[in-house]
Amino acid sequence: MDSNRWPEVRHVLGVDQFDRPFLDRICLLTQEIRELCDKPDGKRLLKEQFADRSAMLYFSQPSSRTYTSFKRACQKLGVDIVDVRDPNTSSEVKGESKMDTIRTFSSYVDVIVMRTKEQGLAAQAAAHLDQTPRPRPIVNAGSGADEQPTQVLLDIYTMARSFKDHGGIDGKTIALVGDLKRGRTVRSLAKLMRHYHDMMLLLVSPPAFRMQQDILDHLDSHRDRVRYEVVDDLRAAVCRADAVYMTRVQDEHDVDGESAKVSINDFCFTPEHLTLLRPEGVVMHPGPRRQELDLRCDDDPRVKYWRQMRNGMWVRTALLACIFATLGKERKERRR
Ligand code: ASP
């Protein structure tokens, strides 16, 4: 594998940093790495490239898929892993500032993958480390209700694979369903749609969970590429959609238990909706799911819920490979 052809990546903080060439290249690289790992010597070859590298997984917010897939991605690259999942076990409880804690971590590893409940903390940490003599890359694995940039990469990869024989992602109609107000994955995905042509977004939610104005403004400013409709009829949306992207209620962001007052019964995907979905359509969900994606749908090949999880591991492997390769190039340049 020729890492000189890989996209150069340092911090991964938000979807605004991704452009179409990057998205296309990361999908291709993900595919290449997957195929390499299928070959008898491929796994070993991949590990040899990054054997001297290390990563910290700093996850102070609950996570199953993102954490485990990053961990497996590191293992696939042969990278040493250090993890902190409970901030109560770090010096933060002794009053250390978050920036000092993160700078401390950066002394020991090459990259910090972090998930926090504080919006913007990953970006703040990246800016802070950039001022230090050891500016290690930060990967945002979810920050508050704002962004989930690596989830969106796996969503794009999943769509690119699913629509490979149907003209790719361009020109597709995507229904985003559920808690669009606080779901960071749908916010990120909606923002990225401007890199594709002739997209239609159907924003399907109860009024209380409508997509926020900042995203609608963003879509308005790219209406030459993305159009959208705010709707509340899931059945009608499924009939029109190429991809249906379901999300759960993000009640961890409630201030006063307000989610319990909102009925989502009309925003749950059931086997009946499968009968309305076109044969080449797909159903996605970032996980964890609750009742909004009926378990009885799982056996339908159009439901990509489980596939997305595996794709997440491969996309994160490709992304970390790019970051480590970029660090390697920087190291070589410094030595010159
Ligand atoms: N796992 C996704 C996230 O990290 C979606 C969710 O939690 O509902 O945002």
Side-chain angles (χ1 to χ4, degrees):
M1 294 195 94
D2 179 8
S3 58
N4 288 319
R5 290 185 299 109
W6 298 356
E8 287 204 4
V9 188
R10 286 202 97 260
H11 303 300
V12 179
L13 300 175
V15 293
D16 289 339
Q17 74 188 81
F18 304 146
D19 58 14
R20 179 70 184 261
F22 174 80
L23 295 169
D24 289 347
R25 287 168 80 196
I26 204 81
C27 288
L28 277 176
L29 179 61
T30 303
Q31 198 54 35
E32 263 181 54
I33 287 184
R34 254 184 130 142
E35 284 163 18
L36 182 73
C37 287
D38 269 347
K39 297 193 185 124
D41 259 1
K43 284 192 178 111
R44 187 182 49 77
L45 269 173
L46 194 62
K47 283 190 174 163
E48 277 171 9
Q49 294 208 34
F50 306 108
D52 61 337
R53 291 296 182 184
S54 56
M56 157 132 242
L57 303 181
Y58 175 40
F59 276 62
S60 64
Q61 236 200 347
S63 174
S64 305
R65 276 151 288 270
T66 309
Y67 171 80
T68 314
S69 60
F70 265 116
K71 190 161 186 167
R72 288 294 292 130
C74 289
Q75 288 165 344
K76 284 185 183 297
L77 296 173
V79 164
D80 279 341
I81 306 158
V82 184
D83 55 10
V84 170
R85 297 205 66 178
D86 179 0
N88 292 322
T89 62
S90 85
S91 286
E92 282 175 57
V93 285
K94 298 185 194 164
E96 186 174 58
S97 73
K98 285 233 187 297
M99 289 306 113
D100 273 5
T101 302
I102 290 164
R103 184 166 175 184
T104 304
F105 293 155
S106 78
S107 309
Y108 305 118
V109 293
D110 295 308
V111 57
I112 299 174
V113 181
M114 57 188 279
R115 167 175 286 198
T116 59
K117 68 175 189 320
E118 297 89 351
Q119 204 152 309
L121 191 69
Q124 201 189 330
H128 183 72
L129 290 188
D130 281 348
Q131 304 304 315
T132 69
R134 218 180 127 75
R136 299 293 90 183
I138 297 278
V139 179
N140 179 3
S143 54
D146 188 31
E147 288 244 28
Q148 225 311 21
T150 63
Q151 171 75 42
V152 88
L153 293 179
L154 79 90
D155 293 337
I156 291 285
Y157 174 66
T158 302
M159 283 191 223
R161 260 173 83 92
S162 305
F163 299 135
K164 177 165 66 63
D165 301 325
H166 305 282
I169 298 176
D170 292 302
K172 296 293 182 287
T173 295
I174 300 175
L176 303 178
V177 187
D179 188 346
L180 307 185
K181 183 177 172 192
R182 303 171 296 182
R184 55 193 174 189
T185 62
V186 272
R187 287 174 56 80
S188 291
L189 195 55
K191 273 172 126 184
L192 267 197
M193 289 297 107
R194 73 173 198 277
H195 297 305
Y196 296 86
H197 300 285
D198 199 17
M199 300 302 295
M200 169 58 92
L201 287 184
L202 303 173
L203 305 176
V204 194
S205 71
F209 293 151
R210 289 255 156 91
M211 187 65 94
Q212 296 198 51
Q213 197 56 42
D214 62 328
I215 300 293
L216 300 183
D217 290 344
H218 176 90
L219 294 173
D220 282 334
S221 63
H222 295 95
R223 63 167 80 86
D224 54 325
R225 288 170 164 250
V226 197
R227 287 166 300 134
Y228 68 87
E229 290 174 28
V230 175
V231 296
D232 56 14
D233 183 346
L234 178 59
R235 286 171 54 96
V238 171
C239 292
R240 293 170 64 192
D242 297 291
V244 181
Y245 192 104
M246 300 300 301
T247 63
R248 72 177 169 93
V249 175
Q250 307 281 313
D251 41 16
E252 68 269 40
H253 301 297
D254 278 3
V255 179
D256 197 14
E258 58 272 24
S259 297
K261 296 173 201 137
V262 181
S263 165
I264 58 146
N265 292 343
D266 293 337
F267 302 90
C268 294
F269 194 97
T270 65
E272 192 214 327
H273 293 99
L274 281 173
T275 64
L276 305 173
L277 184 68
R278 57 189 58 175
E280 68 282 12
V282 295
V283 183
M284 296 168 62
H285 191 306
R289 74 158 148 203
R290 296 179 185 166
Q291 76 273 28
E292 68 282 338
L293 175 56
D294 194 312
L295 268 73
R296 289 171 298 165
C297 298
D298 281 16
D299 291 336
D300 191 293
R302 293 169 295 174
V303 177
K304 305 293 179 191
Y305 181 60
W306 298 101
R307 188 71 63 84
Q308 269 173 281
M309 291 183 208
R310 281 202 63 75
N311 288 347
M313 175 180 73
W314 290 114
V315 168
R316 288 169 176 136
T317 306
L319 188 70
L320 288 174
C322 292
I323 294 174
F324 291 125
T326 305
L327 284 175
K329 277 184 215 155
E330 287 174 1
R331 183 159 62 184
K332 259 193 212 145
E333 267 156 36
R334 273 199 305 276
R335 282 187 185 149
R336 257 193 214 141

